[in-house]
Amino acid sequence: MSVTAAKSQTLVIENLNKTFRIKNSTVEVLKDVNFAVKPGEFISIIGPSGCGKSTLLRLVVGLDGEFDGGISLGGNLIKGPGVNRGMVFQEARLYPWLTVEENIFFGLGQQQSPEEKKYIVQEHLELVGLESFAKAYPHQLSGGMQQRVSIARALVNRPQVLLLDEPFGALDAMTRINMQQEILRIWETEKTTILLVTHDIDEAIFLGDRVIVMSQRPATTKTIIPVELPRPRDRNSYDFIKLRKEIHTKFFAEVEVPFAYSI
Amino acid sequence: MMKKFGGWLKENILALATPVVLLGVWEITSQMGWIRASLLPPPSVIFKVLVELVKTGEIFANLGISILRVAEGFIIGATLGLVIGVQVALVKKFRTAASLIFGLLRPIPVLAWVPVLILWMGIDEGSKITVIAIGSFWTVLVNVAQGIRNVDKKYLEVATILEKDRKTLLTKVVLPASLPAIFTGVRVGIDVAWRSVVAAELIAASSGIGYMIMYARELSQIDVVLVGVLSIGLTGILIEQLLKLLEKRLLKWNVNLHES
């Protein structure tokens, strides 16, 4: 009875440029961003903070329509928000006046019958392992649990692309590792394309099929590094650490050595 | 039950003990003749008068009339404030068009309207109810408009991403998110209404608690005056507590409420 997902399509970002007008000056945020994401691929995007990674996701999800260049999903240009793309933010952004169940229910549109909706909500509660918290209010949940609800809400419409904007950034280290495994499990069952923005190199390698390293503002796609490690990945394996070092070097190449150390 | 009451008593002991001690001091100093009874009678006398007024039903009759006026005026004022407040928050053109007029009218204290309304509507119920309505109108309007405009943009973005239409956005996100602010408006609105009814009755009335106080003053019955004044305060506390209860019921999800 579940809604069958439309066949995943390729997400293409071409010559993307984005500027912000602050008072009378313009600030370039994104410059010549180009990459394509294959259906079902898991892409990690890392870059220095404030470089415009989050802006990129906001453009893809359709919250901001003022940019040059093209973003297309399966050949169709993206012009605004749509349920074929779901998004999870750093804060869970659940509605405090709705229960867990109702928050997930809110994600659904008008297409399904009430029985179908009930089934889909139940299905997604199970997917994120919160069946027993269906009637709880968000303030009664831990940060990690809230983020699970947020993920469930983003997934109810079976989006082709799931955008994750530093979703685990506010969680403690233990919970974060837990949630990373969780998101992999969800990705493997749902087969959605995932774009994850993070500042955690470890997380980027552990999760991504490819890691896109972005430069300081204006952000461009500096390098795209394929992660050819078998899953499940071991964070302490030789290849993992080697790759981490490689990205680390690229990541911090531009960062100036602090004054105090340059004697 | 007993345990619950014990806990409540423990929590509020200081709040309860303070007035009791003050009343004791007041009574003793009065008995010793340090305070002139014609200006400030001792609590025991005031209490006796209160019992008498309760027995004859005079105080309830007058309070009842005042409460009825507040209810009528408040319902009119709050409804108008709610409707116009929503417009102010959501329709930019309306906000701009009304800004100067609202800016001019809002700071006028309700008391200043009393002579105007007496000339326009006479000293009947109409003018008093209008005074109350004006007071609650502005309070509710300002709180509603601010509440709606302060709804967290993050909540709105979530709804936008999920392709919700404007109607869903307003009823399912904006309304519940601004409900705490709206409720504050209602609470303060009733408070303002309750104050202004007494003010209105002090000036022109032939019934109501304000009238009872004024009439007693003319007869130099200081004890009745004091009973009247205190009963206004007591009714205020009662209304406040009732509203708090209602708020807790309606806004179960609002974590901020549970702490205080």
Side-chain angles (χ1 to χ4, degrees), chain B residues 39-52:
Chain B
L39 287 184
L40 186 62
S44 55
V45 172
I46 294 177
F47 186 72
K48 233 180 265 165
V49 174
L50 175 70
V51 171
E52 218 168 278

Side-chain angles (χ1 to χ4, degrees), chain A residues 58 61 63 81-83 87 89 91 93-97 106-108 137 139 153 157, chain B residues 153-164 168 172-173 176-177 252-253 255 258:
Chain A
R58 291 175 70 86
V61 84
L63 275 177
V83 287
M87 184 148 176
F89 297 89
E91 335 81 60
R93 297 197 182 187
L94 303 175
Y95 295 134
W97 53 88
F106 184 81
L108 287 165
Y137 281 93
H139 69 87
R153 178 176 62 185
N157 293 306
Chain B
K153 225 178 120 217
K154 289 172 179 172
Y155 290 155
L156 303 180
E157 278 181 0
V158 169
T160 311
I161 290 170
L162 294 166
E163 266 193 292
K164 299 294 175 189
T168 315
K172 296 281 164 66
V173 182
K252 254 193 298 195
W253 56 269
V255 195
H258 303 308

Side-chain angles (χ1 to χ4, degrees), chain A residues 2 24 36 55 89 91 98 132 138 167-168 179 242 246 251 262:
Chain A
S2 79
N24 294 319
T55 308
F89 297 89
E91 335 81 60
L98 299 180
S132 47
F168 315 134
M179 290 296 286
K242 200 175 136 205
E246 191 189 323
F251 198 41
S262 57

Side-chain angles (χ1 to χ4, degrees), chain B residues 53-139:
Chain B
L53 287 173
V54 167
K55 261 188 195 155
T56 58
E58 198 185 332
I59 194 155
F60 289 131
N62 283 314
L63 270 177
I65 288 167
S66 296
I67 289 173
L68 192 69
R69 282 180 187 141
V70 168
E72 285 173 333
F74 176 75
I75 287 169
I76 296 169
T79 312
L80 285 173
L82 189 72
V83 171
I84 297 177
V86 171
Q87 306 303 318
V88 167
L90 298 179
V91 188
K92 190 161 184 267
K93 272 199 180 130
F94 185 84
R95 183 162 65 241
T96 320
S99 61
L100 198 62
I101 301 172
F102 282 6
L104 179 81
L105 293 178
R106 201 171 48 84
I108 300 175
V110 277
L111 267 183
W113 288 113
V114 171
V116 179
L117 290 169
I118 287 176
L119 288 178
W120 283 351
M121 308 170 80
I123 55 166
D124 294 338
E125 289 299 288
S127 57
K128 287 179 207 81
I129 290 170
T130 313
V131 166
I132 297 158
I134 292 172
S136 24
F137 169 75
W138 291 115
T139 329

